[in-house]
Amino acid sequence: MSAIAISVWTEPLAESNCYIIYEHKERHGNEVAPCVVIDPNDPAGPLSVLEQKGLRPEWILLTHEHCDHTAGLEPMRERFPDAQVMASEQCNVGMQNARLNMSRMMEVYLTFFGKSGVSYTPFVCRPADKTYSEACTLDWREHTFRFVPLPGHTAGSVGIFLDDDIFFSGDYLLPGREVILRLPGGSEKDYHEITEPFLATLPVGIHIYPGHGKDYRLAMPVDSCEGLIPRCFANAASSILKDAKQI
């Protein structure tokens, strides 16, 4: 199995992360390499990374429908029309709705977090090319992505495993932050009944790539922390997080 590299581009307003996954392989001349993009969060930033590194997305994967994770989806599709978009069925519904994807209220949301005076144009996205309603997998090159629906933050939220030792958590497991459940499409019931128990099964040592904040390795079981890690990270980060080397 070929080794992989993961590049990140962090959008400056909501500070969300876009992840670009590609294989470490020797290339010749101007050869363009295939990659997978998770959460294209900005119209320009991720595209600049792809151009700089000579990468071409074959798949674009979404952890959920919010605008700070999908604002660059349509520009990326226009630049790379052969790229396939994969999302949960509920994410697919939400990203086509300016209320559910939060773009209609993003100016208010940013003001609440101390970034007032920002102009944010509402938008919607075209439907995904492939959708799913239950856990499934995607084989890419020599690697496997595994998708697990995790409703709560939004109806369309999912966690994405890569080769079972990396977990792209979307807006769960954010260091120092509570899980937000009261935005459009959110559900405390789904979070506590479905997502919270699943997160508690994550193995110690798994490499977490969150939707906001730095990546880290899980150093103790999630259910060892009251309220499931966001609060515990804020109060005891030194004992829970380990510095993680970039793959």
Side-chain angles (χ1 to χ4, degrees):
M1 180 183 297
S2 299
I4 62 167
I6 300 178
S7 292
V8 58
W9 195 87
T10 302
E11 185 270 334
L13 287 177
E15 301 176 7
S16 59
N17 295 327
C18 170
Y19 295 108
I20 299 171
I21 300 106
Y22 55 101
E23 293 182 320
H24 272 305
K25 285 187 175 180
E26 183 178 356
R27 285 187 268 172
H28 303 281
N30 295 322
E31 181 182 359
V32 177
C35 69
V36 173
V37 175
I38 295 180
D39 289 353
N41 55 358
D42 180 81
L47 288 177
S48 68
V49 175
L50 295 175
E51 181 178 358
Q52 177 186 7
K53 293 186 174 294
L55 299 172
R56 168 184 52 83
E58 294 184 323
W59 288 93
I60 303 171
L61 313 178
L62 303 178
T63 63
H64 63 294
E65 58 267 35
H66 281 165
C67 59
D68 57 329
H69 296 260
T70 61
L73 177 56
E74 293 307 313
M76 190 168 290
R77 283 172 138 175
E78 292 173 8
R79 174 66 179 83
F80 299 99
D82 292 334
Q84 298 288 292
V85 177
M86 186 168 177
S88 71
E89 288 184 359
Q90 289 298 320
C91 175
N92 187 50
V93 170
M95 70 186 192
Q96 298 178 65
N97 183 295
R99 183 183 72 87
L100 293 176
N101 74 16
M102 285 286 294
S103 63
R104 183 182 298 174
M105 60 186 74
M106 197 60 176
E107 292 178 1
V108 175
Y109 180 84
L110 291 171
T111 298
F112 181 79
F113 283 94
K115 297 183 178 181
S116 59
V118 174
S119 177
Y120 199 99
T121 302
F123 68 88
V124 296
C125 299
R126 289 174 288 160
D129 300 292
K130 183 174 183 179
T131 63
Y132 53 92
S133 59
E134 55 188 27
C136 64
T137 60
L138 171 68
D139 291 328
W140 177 72
R141 304 290 163 168
E142 299 175 336
H143 306 277
T144 298
F145 291 91
R146 181 162 60 94
F147 306 85
V148 181
L150 298 175
H153 177 62
T154 70
S157 291
V158 303
I160 304 174
F161 290 91
L162 172 56
D163 297 331
D164 286 328
D165 55 1
I166 291 172
F167 184 62
F168 298 94
S169 62
D171 278 6
Y172 300 116
L173 310 185
L174 307 183
R177 300 194 191 185
E178 297 284 350
V179 179
I180 299 176
L181 304 173
R182 296 184 179 181
L183 298 175
S187 170
E188 291 189 25
K189 181 176 183 293
D190 284 347
Y191 176 73
H192 292 302
E193 292 184 358
I194 299 172
T195 297
E196 193 172 43
F198 178 84
L199 295 177
T201 70
L202 291 173
V204 170
I206 194 167
H207 199 151
I208 308 291
Y209 284 82
H212 302 259
K214 299 294 186 181
D215 62 288
Y216 58 89
R217 289 190 182 276
L218 194 64
M220 67 170 59
V222 169
D223 60 0
S224 297
C225 298
E226 180 184 357
L228 283 187
I229 66 181
R231 183 183 301 111
C232 195
F233 277 150
N235 295 334
S238 62
S239 65
I240 298 174
L241 304 182
K242 293 178 179 178
D243 291 335
K245 295 181 180 179
Q246 189 74 19
I247 293 178

